[in-house]
Amino acid sequence: MASSGEPPAGGGGPDGEERAGGGGGLGDGSLSQGLSVLVGLALCVTMLGLGCAVELGQLGQQLRRPVGVLLALLAQFVAMPLLAFLLALLFALDEVAAVAVLLCGSCPGGSLSNLMSLLVDGDMNLSIIMTASSTLLALFLMPLCLWVYSRHWINTTLVQLLPLGAVSLMLASTLLPIGLGVLIRYKHPRVADLLVKVSLWSLLVTLVVLFILTGTMLGPDLMAHIPASVYAIAVLMPLAGYALGYGLATVFALPPHCRRTVSLETGCQNVQLCTAILKLTFPPQLIGSMYMFPLLYALFQSAEAGLFVLAYKMYGRDSYKQDALGEEEDTDISYKKLKEEEVADTSYGTVTTEEHSSVQMELVQTTL
């Protein structure tokens, strides 16, 4: 009883530090409730914008040749979860930080990748299809990846109480705004274009507001309660994801603009979804300040993607123009061939002017 004011010997360490770091403050007060509402609304707007970016014709084409779906499966639910698991082991994270990293690594692709793919002259159809298909696949594969890779920390309280059912329920709830967005795209394309822009801006605004509100709730000592190893992972994980995505696209022998697209799709995670799951499904007294990890990941993935775009604008733009010019020349040649074939097809079985006159002369000679 005399030692009740001290942290328990076995339950102290990182978990106790996370609780001391203001974890309980996340669950109390009107500010915390407002933050939960903001996170939920931001996720709905993001998923609505994702649905508005999907066209039914593209979905049908991908079902016939599902390269984008296969790439999304391998990138988001094979490469990234495995990368997150290896980084968690390499940096010897405790169970709280490990679950946050694994959850972020198991998330589908985010809307940021669509914007960045546009800036590097990527394949926008491939980008949108990968984002949409990974979001749908996440309904089943994200809880599976989280369950498989968290077995290493199975003896801890957090992993034993892992809310996989709540995670699945939240993933299922994202299908409604996605379906509504697809319907808006089908019925009102101009409105859908506007909603896509709104969702991209809401992504940036939400991240800034979350940083400010979280800092207000947890105080200036928030960053001090996050281990340096977590910062290192937040820096390395998106960078390694970009490299893995580019390598994966190279294995599939995709052209350069598609490689850039797959690279960005792999490294850019849906941090809104990760933040919402951590905030709304995990007990705040257990998750503590690790709620900040997806925000740190968003910060570094945006900065690194921005450097990627800057490097492309400075050094890769000319080569892209040459490739595009070559493609246009090939298109012109094939178009000429197509026109020749059309001329040949239209002349088949018809009678030309010369043939018509010769037929008339033969008829005259016959009558004579």
Side-chain angles (χ1 to χ4, degrees):
M1 299 296 292
S3 60
S4 58
E6 299 177 359
D15 195 17
E17 290 177 1
E18 295 303 333
R19 293 191 183 101
L26 283 171
D28 301 325
S30 59
L31 188 58
S32 178
Q33 295 177 358
L35 185 59
S36 299
V37 172
L38 176 64
V39 169
L41 289 177
L43 181 61
C44 288
V45 172
T46 301
M47 295 296 102
L48 180 65
L50 175 60
C52 288
V54 176
E55 295 183 2
L56 295 178
Q58 296 176 359
L59 291 176
Q61 182 181 1
Q62 286 297 320
L63 290 176
R64 291 189 294 270
R65 188 172 179 269
V67 176
V69 178
L70 179 59
L71 287 170
L73 174 65
L74 295 176
Q76 299 296 342
F77 303 109
V78 176
M80 289 304 291
L82 180 60
L83 173 64
F85 176 71
L86 294 177
L87 287 174
L89 291 182
L90 179 63
F91 286 91
L93 297 183
D94 64 273
E95 72 277 8
V96 178
V99 166
V101 171
L102 289 175
L103 185 64
C104 189
S106 302
C107 278
S111 300
L112 179 66
S113 60
N114 306 138
L115 176 62
M116 292 300 177
S117 296
L118 179 64
L119 294 177
V120 297
D121 300 313
D123 189 332
M124 290 308 299
N125 288 335
L126 177 61
S127 177
I128 293 171
I129 287 299
M130 286 189 66
T131 303
S133 58
S134 66
T135 302
L136 296 177
L137 290 171
L139 181 62
F140 307 101
L141 295 180
M142 186 176 174
L144 178 62
C145 290
L146 191 59
W147 181 82
V148 169
Y149 288 111
S150 65
R151 297 301 91 189
H152 182 76
W153 297 271
I154 188 60
N155 294 325
T156 61
T157 303
L158 179 63
V159 175
Q160 290 175 356
L161 299 176
L162 205 61
L164 294 177
V167 171
S168 300
L169 184 61
M170 175 161 288
L171 289 170
S173 67
T174 62
L175 296 180
L176 180 60
I178 292 176
L180 180 60
V182 173
L183 181 62
I184 294 175
R185 166 61 65 181
Y186 180 73
K187 295 288 187 180
H188 308 285
R190 292 185 178 179
V191 177
D193 292 335
L194 178 62
L195 289 175
V196 169
K197 295 178 181 178
V198 170
S199 67
L200 290 176
W201 278 106
S202 69
L203 168 64
L204 301 177
V205 173
T206 302
L207 291 177
V208 173
V209 173
L210 284 176
F211 269 114
I212 295 174
L213 290 182
T214 306
T216 302
M217 291 167 57
L218 298 182
D221 295 334
L222 167 66
M223 298 303 177
H225 289 92
I226 300 178
S229 56
V230 174
Y231 283 101
I233 292 177
V235 173
L236 294 175
M237 192 167 155
L239 192 61
Y242 294 141
L244 285 173
Y246 198 91
L248 181 63
T250 303
V251 171
F252 276 76
L254 297 182
H257 70 291
C258 291
R259 295 179 190 177
R260 295 192 295 270
T261 302
V262 177
S263 173
L264 290 167
E265 283 292 330
T266 305
C268 290
Q269 299 295 87
N270 192 336
V271 292
Q272 303 100 306
L273 179 61
C274 184
T275 304
I277 291 175
L278 286 174
K279 183 71 177 72
L280 303 177
T281 63
F282 283 83
Q285 68 273 14
L286 291 180
I287 204 64
S289 58
M290 284 302 103
Y291 155 75
M292 284 293 294
F293 178 77
L295 302 181
L296 292 175
Y297 187 94
L299 176 64
F300 290 112
Q301 80 171 2
S302 302
E304 292 166 5
L307 292 176
F308 188 0
V309 172
L310 180 62
Y312 171 75
K313 296 293 186 183
M314 294 176 62
Y315 303 107
R317 189 91 183 202
D318 294 337
S319 61
Y320 170 75
K321 290 180 179 179
Q322 293 176 0
D323 294 339
L325 182 60
E327 290 177 0
E328 290 178 358
E329 293 176 353
D330 293 341
T331 305
D332 292 339
I333 293 173
S334 61
Y335 179 74
K336 291 177 182 178
K337 290 181 179 179
L338 181 61
K339 294 298 289 182
E340 291 174 358
E341 291 176 358
E342 289 179 354
V343 171
D345 290 338
T346 54
S347 62
Y348 179 76
T350 60
V351 180
T352 60
T353 306
E354 295 178 357
E355 291 175 348
H356 182 66
S357 61
S358 64
V359 171
Q360 286 183 338
M361 292 181 63
E362 289 179 357
L363 290 174
V364 171
Q365 291 177 359
T366 304
T367 54
L368 291 176

